[in-house]
Amino acid sequence: MIEMTLREIADVVGGTLHDVPDPEARVTGSVEFDSRRIGSGDLFLALPGERADGHEYAAAAVAAGAVAVLAARPVGVPAIVVTPSPGQVPATSVALIHDSDGSGAAVLAALAALARASVERLTAAGGLTVVGVTGSSGKTSTKDLLAAVLAPLGPVVAPPGSFNNELGHPWTALRADEKTRFLVLELSARGPGHIAALAAVAPPSIGVVLNVGTAHLGEFGSREAIAQTKGELVEALPATGLAVLNADDPQVAAMAARTRAKVVRVGQAGNADIRASDIRLDAEARAGFTLHTPAGSTPVQLAVHGEHQVGNALSAAAVALACGADLATIARALSGAERVSERRMDVRTTADGVTVVNDSYNANPDSVRAALKALVTMSRAGETPRRSWAVLGEMAELGEESVVEHDGIGRLAVRLDVDRLIVVGTGRPSRAMHQGAVMEGSWGEESVLVPDIGAAIALLDDEVEAGDVVLVKASKSVGLWAVAEHLTGAGRSSNAEAGQ
């Protein structure tokens, strides 16, 4: 963030100074909500958590170097105190916040105000371009590709992982300072108005909409409602801005009518301004293609896995072109960009020859379909096909469509000829996935329903062999990454060597 005095911060957030000996003391570092990450010159954000209340760590944060604390009540050390408003609640749910009295919402609102003030001053100075990315799937992968293609043009700030809600979004925005040229942000939503609220925190001049799928269908109720909410990003763009829209998704393409900004369409469709052709996949499902732009055409070979990454790369290329990058630089950056965020198409081959595709961070029907296709591509590459395993858990937040969507994934696994499907869980959605596979034609033990992660690990340890390819994917609430981490860790190797 830009340097600000405690008095200035209090004015921005509508707070009151408490126990502050010097109102002109300056915050020269970052804003942190984890007291263990505090350094000299930082501002500590006191949030009430489910297991601990950040206010209780205020003194420790100041002792560690924090200039002051942004809090909902006096804490006995220098603090900017904001008062909860009656009925104030966060725009979306944040698992970190335990907000029975509105104090968490008050601190989050203050954080948003501080981020907005910092970003507005940086953009007014002419040095910062804010890029927002939304979509039902692919936001984090695209964010990482954007950071890679924009880096040759100047310093980039982008969120680690999926910091894309009302806590992570302003926290990331406050990472930008006078040296930052590009601020790349993800915008997520669990209901109407959420993306508009995030866009107000760090107003973007470039907006990217990837797709409209079924993620969070339970909260929204329909794809139309999802599309309406995703389009809030392009509605927030100024007339001088740029909307990058997926021409291959009709609901995204239709958003062109909802923005004042210039529109650039990307995809494989004939009307796309930035287009991919001659798409081919290598043995690890990494896509190569020809990138066509108004500035010319060039070959690109992606280092990230999955054909779905082509659309993400096209969006990144469109943004980079608009920001002044030349075609050769874009192609080189896209080809060199590797996976950054954890548990997203993380492909590793173990010492005993098993290829593990850890895509376990989260899951929705669209991302599971893409991952299954990548799994099959990898298993069939080369002269000798390899055995494919899909270890899948529940996809959360699908509402009334949950059983239908899980059934469809089970059926797709059979249609794609995945050799072994392990469905983890005892709930109705998991049972529907397994039953869908059985009804589609799975026989014997091609599809197996196991009760928990431990049972899945035991089955894999007993039956997975060298050369097999194993995909692990589920919603993050399932915690299925434990399976992937077991397969790639020392535990499985020692068991295999012991013949267990």
Side-chain angles (χ1 to χ4, degrees):
M1 62 178 284
I2 59 174
E3 290 190 13
M4 298 175 70
T5 68
L6 296 183
R7 190 193 305 276
E8 288 176 313
I9 295 173
D11 289 341
V12 165
V13 305
T16 305
L17 298 176
H18 282 260
D19 302 307
V20 174
D22 181 11
E24 302 306 313
R26 303 181 72 83
V27 173
T28 58
S30 60
V31 177
E32 298 291 351
F33 54 85
D34 186 340
S35 61
R36 295 167 297 185
R37 297 177 61 91
I38 287 291
S40 178
D42 290 350
L43 179 68
F44 177 59
L45 193 70
L47 288 170
E50 199 168 17
R51 288 188 292 266
D53 186 344
H55 292 81
E56 297 173 0
Y57 296 86
V62 171
V67 179
V69 179
L70 183 55
R73 61 177 184 267
V75 286
V77 292
I80 301 162
V81 177
V82 291
T83 304
S85 300
Q88 187 175 29
V89 294
T92 68
S93 61
V94 176
L96 181 70
I97 306 301
H98 184 67
D99 201 22
S100 59
D101 61 357
S103 60
V107 176
L108 284 176
L111 177 69
L114 183 59
R116 168 115 190 184
S118 180
V119 170
E120 284 184 337
R121 294 187 194 183
L122 291 171
T123 53
L128 181 68
T129 297
V130 180
V131 182
V133 183
T134 194
S136 294
S137 60
K139 295 184 293 295
T140 299
S141 297
T142 303
K143 172 263 300 181
D144 292 339
L145 290 172
L146 279 165
V149 298
L150 293 174
L153 302 178
V156 179
V157 167
S162 294
F163 266 40
N164 56 21
N165 57 25
E166 70 275 15
L167 173 58
H169 186 79
W171 179 89
T172 302
L174 285 166
R175 266 39 206 168
D177 59 21
E178 290 84 356
K179 297 178 181 178
T180 307
R181 184 169 177 191
F182 301 101
L183 174 60
V184 180
L185 296 168
E186 289 185 47
L187 293 85
S188 70
R190 293 177 182 271
H194 293 169
I195 287 178
L198 293 178
V201 171
S205 59
I206 300 175
V208 178
V209 185
L210 301 171
N211 45 56
V212 173
T214 52
H216 308 304
L217 187 60
E219 279 88 356
F220 287 95
S222 69
R223 288 173 66 100
E224 290 71 25
I226 295 172
Q228 185 63 32
T229 300
K230 299 300 182 187
E232 291 170 4
L233 174 58
V234 299
E235 290 177 343
L237 298 173
T240 55
L242 174 70
V244 178
L245 303 178
N246 180 1
D248 299 330
D249 186 323
Q251 289 181 301
V252 175
M255 294 177 191
R258 296 172 57 185
T259 185
R260 302 169 293 166
K262 175 184 176 181
V263 173
V264 170
R265 295 171 176 84
V266 303
Q268 299 178 50
N271 66 337
D273 305 294
I274 309 292
R275 189 168 56 87
S277 69
D278 306 318
I279 298 172
R280 58 208 175 273
L281 300 178
D282 68 8
E284 291 195 1
R286 295 171 298 199
F289 61 95
T290 301
L291 172 64
H292 302 278
T293 78
S297 301
T298 188
V300 172
Q301 175 59 58
L302 297 178
V304 290
H305 305 268
E307 187 174 356
H308 59 285
Q309 298 282 9
V310 174
N312 300 338
L314 293 176
S315 295
V319 172
L321 277 171
C323 291
D326 61 74
L327 198 56
T329 298
I330 292 171
R332 186 164 53 249
L334 287 175
S335 298
E338 297 184 349
R339 179 195 58 81
V340 175
S341 299
E342 292 183 339
R343 300 167 182 164
R344 294 167 178 84
M345 294 303 290
D346 180 357
V347 180
R348 304 187 187 193
T349 299
T350 68
D352 49 346
V354 176
T355 299
V356 180
V357 184
N358 183 357
D359 198 31
S360 61
Y361 179 79
N362 215 344
N364 60 60
D366 298 310
S367 66
V368 175
R369 284 190 282 267
L372 285 172
K373 291 175 183 177
L375 166 68
V376 171
T377 296
M378 295 171 66
S379 67
R380 294 177 183 171
E383 296 181 2
T384 304
R386 299 186 287 170
R387 192 165 53 158
S388 56
W389 294 73
V391 185
L392 305 180
E394 184 175 340
M395 302 175 290
E397 300 167 350
L398 294 176
E400 295 179 356
E401 297 299 313
S402 182
V403 168
V404 172
E405 293 288 358
H406 283 83
D407 174 90
I409 292 297
R411 292 175 183 273
L412 178 63
V414 174
R415 291 173 193 156
L416 292 174
D417 202 19
V418 173
D419 293 301
R420 297 293 302 276
L421 172 63
I422 301 177
V423 182
V424 182
T426 58
R428 190 179 177 198
S430 296
R431 295 197 305 270
M433 188 187 298
H434 170 63
Q435 189 65 26
V438 171
M439 295 300 292
E440 191 65 27
S442 174
W443 57 276
E445 294 187 347
E446 287 180 343
S447 179
V448 178
L449 181 66
V450 298
D452 52 36
I453 291 171
I457 288 173
L459 192 156
L460 290 164
D461 277 348
D462 188 50
E463 298 190 26
V464 166
E465 300 174 351
D468 289 357
V469 186
V470 183
L471 166 70
V472 182
K473 190 164 182 65
S475 284
K476 57 186 174 183
S477 58
V478 180
L480 211 57
W481 53 76
V483 174
E485 290 168 0
H486 171 80
L487 290 173
T488 56
R492 184 179 183 278
S493 295
S494 60
N495 287 341
E497 290 167 7
Q500 297 178 1

